[in-house]
Amino acid sequence: WEYFILEEFIEWDNLEDEKIQHDYIGNIQKVKDFIRWFCKTISPLWNKWIVHRDIKPNNIIVFNDKVNILDFWIATYEEWWTVYTTVWNQPKTFLYAAPEQVHWQKEFISVKTDFFCLWILAYKLYYWVLPFWNCPDEIAQNFQQNYLNFYLKPDDDLNNFFTFVFQKNIYERP
């Protein structure tokens, strides 16, 4: 089978826009709704083992509660834990990358990678900061540890989700 992904031209602001992001800060329900809409949008691809590999704010447009996922040029097909790609290196946007992307572990790239990256984005939308710091060296150093270090507000409804998803070991992730 060969898969083709067609993208429509959408003229609207993406999640990189601070005015749009501002609506999500501290709003648990809005962040949960975003995650739900995102998963509903991408699940047909994930069900066919297609991995986006570059989930980040400027690749997502939200309009009228509909999530549009953009920029599939580095998407790949995962089959039996082997990732096929035409790109020679491990594509990613460092600030929104999963540990296996940061450490060039191509053999571990899967839909779990995308899911981890989605939760980095959700964390950024909710807290207005990135979970694993803001520069590549700090992120890589955090991902070298046995556990991932990130801030959580006390008694917050999203804490269990972030703790559950932010696992360095891909086999421990949902």
Side-chain angles (χ1 to χ4, degrees), residues 27-144:
N27 188 332
I28 291 174
Q29 191 56 52
K30 193 153 179 87
V31 172
K32 285 181 180 179
D33 288 344
F34 167 77
I35 293 165
R36 190 176 306 111
W37 299 322
F38 184 95
C39 290
K40 183 178 178 184
T41 302
I42 203 166
S43 64
L45 297 176
W46 283 351
N47 289 338
K48 296 192 183 316
W49 303 107
I50 295 173
V51 184
H52 186 282
R53 295 196 301 177
D54 199 20
I55 295 171
K56 61 185 178 183
N58 61 342
N59 284 343
I60 299 168
I61 293 174
V62 179
F63 179 69
N64 289 338
D65 296 337
K66 181 181 176 195
V67 173
N68 293 282
I69 304 167
L70 312 174
D71 195 7
F72 282 85
W73 82 270
I74 64 170
T76 191
Y77 176 68
E78 170 203 342
E79 182 178 37
W80 298 102
W81 298 100
T82 303
V83 176
Y84 301 95
T85 183
T86 57
V87 181
W88 68 271
N89 64 358
Q90 181 50 56
K92 64 190 171 289
T93 299
F94 217 98
L95 298 177
Y96 294 91
E100 58 273 17
Q101 290 176 296
V102 169
H103 295 300
W104 301 79
Q105 296 171 317
K106 193 174 180 179
E107 66 276 14
F108 294 115
I109 302 298
S110 71
V111 295
K112 291 182 176 194
T113 303
D114 275 357
F115 198 66
F116 187 96
C117 298
L118 166 62
W119 280 89
I120 291 175
L121 176 56
Y123 186 100
K124 169 73 164 58
L125 290 173
Y126 184 69
Y127 285 111
W128 194 243
V129 295
L130 289 162
F132 308 113
W133 295 288
N134 290 318
C135 82
D137 290 339
E138 290 174 337
I139 292 168
Q141 186 177 19
N142 192 355
F143 287 170
Q144 286 286 352

